[in-house]
Amino acid sequence: MNIYITRQIPKKGIDLLTEAGYNVIMREADGTVPRDELLAAVRNADAVLPMLADKIDAELMDAAPNLKVISNFAVGYDNVDVPEATRRGI
């Protein structure tokens, strides 16, 4: 399973994911991911761990045909189109 993380998170979280056998791809740069970069980065993602500033909508879900999990590293989920994710079984 490929997990794309849009910003750096604590090393402990990465270690837990990699020890469980997940392939973690984490953006090294700070700040909000430019939209075109985000759409390209999720192409092979099974899961995405965005921050609140990262818009997770139908366009992004179209760009990530294998997407099964969206899990925010934030308080809230205003950035996620939950009805669309639900419709797709994500």
Side-chain angles (χ1 to χ4, degrees), residues 10-27:
K11 185 178 180 322
K12 176 72 173 172
I14 300 301
D15 291 346
L16 288 170
L17 292 170
T18 56
E19 288 168 10
Y22 298 110
N23 180 39
V24 176
I25 302 103
M26 184 171 58
R27 184 172 187 262

